[in-house]
Amino acid sequence: MSGTAGTTSAAPVPPVLPGGDGAPSAHRCGAAPRQVAELHLPAQRRTDGVAVLVHGGFWRPGAADGSLAYDRRLEDHVAADLLAAGVPVWLVDYRAVGDGGGWPATLEDAATALDLVVDVAPAAGLDAGRAVVVGHSAGGHLA
């Protein structure tokens, strides 16, 4: 796994999602731009577990011109629904084919993000042992 996992330097600032407490945090899971996971806490927490969301996207990063990205933002609506229901969310991104990913890098990125939630969860008052991993399309394979 990457030696930079867990650092917050150079991690993108995540958007505030509806239902969130307004203070999401991004955590590096490697050196590449897409190697990041975000922790979103609900405004009113109903569980100390966490939903881990892994996006789909045909294993590809999206359009070369940047007009379409297959990244963690694809799960923002699902994350917002979970936050509104009081469920904390760990939103995972990974390198796709053509973006430094492929076998085994993409799987390693997902595994690193899952390992990292175990380290990050306790400081947020969460129990990573009560995590539920949910993936859509390619993210379903990774989950």
Side-chain angles (χ1 to χ4, degrees):
M1 304 297 160
S2 172
T4 59
T7 64
T8 55
S9 63
V13 176
V16 175
L17 299 176
D21 73 354
S25 58
H27 303 268
R28 281 257 148 244
C29 301
R34 300 262 310 252
Q35 291 176 299
V36 65
E38 299 171 359
L39 180 61
H40 294 263
L41 299 174
Q44 296 186 355
R45 191 180 310 177
R46 294 194 177 122
T47 180
D48 66 348
V50 60
V52 178
L53 299 182
V54 187
H55 70 84
F58 311 100
W59 302 105
R60 299 183 183 172
D65 67 2
S67 62
L68 176 64
Y70 298 126
D71 62 14
R72 65 193 176 283
R73 298 283 65 91
L74 292 174
E75 296 298 325
D76 282 355
H77 292 292
V78 176
D81 285 347
L82 288 165
L83 290 168
V87 178
V89 174
W90 184 248
L91 203 51
V92 173
D93 212 340
Y94 53 86
R95 291 171 293 167
V97 174
D99 188 29
W103 177 258
T106 300
L107 183 64
E108 291 171 343
D109 288 356
T112 299
L114 289 173
D115 288 345
L116 184 57
V117 75
V118 172
D119 295 335
V120 171
L126 302 176
D127 180 359
R130 297 189 63 217
V132 175
V133 184
V134 180
H136 172 257
S137 191
H141 291 250
L142 295 169

